[in-house]
Amino acid sequence: MTIAERHKYILDELDRVGFVSVSDLSKRMEVTMVTIRKDLKLLEDKGLLYRSHGSATPVSPYVSDRSVQVKKLEQVEEKTRIAQHAVKMLLEKEAILIGSGTTVVAFAQAIPKNLPLTVLTAAMNVSLALMDHDLVELVQLGGVVRKSSSSAVGHYAEEMLRGFACSKLFLSVDGISLEHGLTTSNMMEAHLNAQMIQSVQKTIVLADSRKFGRKGFGKICELEDVDTIITDSGIPEIYRNSLEEKGIELVIV
């Protein structure tokens, strides 16, 4: 196999799967791992992929903190489908916890007005979405407000959270990675999300497929700490198999 053929194979695999490993490519193409690393370096220099600890992805895995006003305009159809499916998991009169992010805002907006619930949230835009739901008892966590996410974070929010017990957490994240688990761009929000996971019986992640293979600055938890992930059909193939092997329910809408 020539260098051009190897490069085409690598890029085709990235397009098909969304992730490649040095060891796997070495076995498949019957060349040394040193050769594969050189191939990946050349392709990275051309801006065709990003290398990371024995693997490569088609886009940069790192995410930055961006305003919800920007993110709410992205993947709108996918977020709507994810939100509509998540609503089917709700039971009458249960107490739930909703995190922050544009996907869970879409989820809050999709909750039927005739469904009695108790909702605990740190996200002000989630609270606003439920203000006209007369049958929803709304509990707002307080603290330092992150304007980029419209959510409260910090000691006060975490202390208040300890006084409640909820059945389910509906959580959005900035990144889902096989190596780094669930992450978000802010460490204080990551810590609050981790506390939320500890306070519920079941954690349900609502994330469009672009979140897979990405990672933010603040780690929330390992993948094994999650019960269900609801996403769209663009999820990379490698994650479909890996999540099922970890015992995580994967719902593709």
Side-chain angles (χ1 to χ4, degrees), residues 18 59 174-177 207-214 229-232 234-236 239 243 250:
V59 296
D174 288 326
I176 301 175
S177 166
D208 67 77
S209 59
R210 294 199 309 173
K211 304 295 177 63
F212 290 86
R214 311 296 298 276
I229 296 178
I230 307 176
T231 188
D232 60 82
I235 178 176
Y239 282 91
L243 293 174
L250 179 63

Side-chain angles (χ1 to χ4, degrees), residues 70 72 94 104 120 204:
V70 174
K72 73 179 182 180
E94 71 175 335
V104 291
L120 179 66
I204 302 155

